[in-house]
Amino acid sequence: LVEGDAKLQEQVPVSGETALHIAVKYNRHENIPVLYDENIVKLRNKAGYTPLMLAVMESQAQNFGFMQE
């Protein structure tokens, strides 16, 4: 995605999720440092959740910790 100059802030029309939301949702912690951006982490999906909120809800301490640094 990043190498292909993807727009990381782009949200999936149906869910409102970004690539970061999806990485957190599926616990793809190896992708989070690449996808992380301080503006993206503030974006809410259509359910009203930010990627950080999803990490907390899913008890993903590693992902939560990275996004809090």
Side-chain angles (χ1 to χ4, degrees):
L1 288 171
V2 175
E3 290 175 8
D5 198 30
K7 295 178 183 167
L8 298 179
Q9 289 187 340
E10 191 167 324
Q11 293 177 278
V12 176
V14 174
S15 65
E17 294 179 325
T18 64
L20 183 58
H21 281 93
I22 295 167
V24 170
K25 186 175 173 179
Y26 292 102
N27 200 22
R28 301 299 302 226
H29 59 267
E30 68 277 6
N31 300 119
I32 290 172
V34 176
L35 299 172
Y36 179 83
D37 176 278
E38 64 183 51
N39 294 316
I40 296 172
V41 79
K42 297 174 188 174
L43 293 177
R44 295 179 183 266
N45 63 15
K46 289 197 176 180
Y49 300 116
T50 66
L52 183 59
M53 294 165 105
L54 291 175
V56 170
M57 289 170 43
E58 298 294 325
S59 300
Q60 297 175 0
Q62 182 176 7
N63 296 337
F64 175 76
F66 176 82
M67 289 188 279
Q68 281 295 298
E69 293 178 356

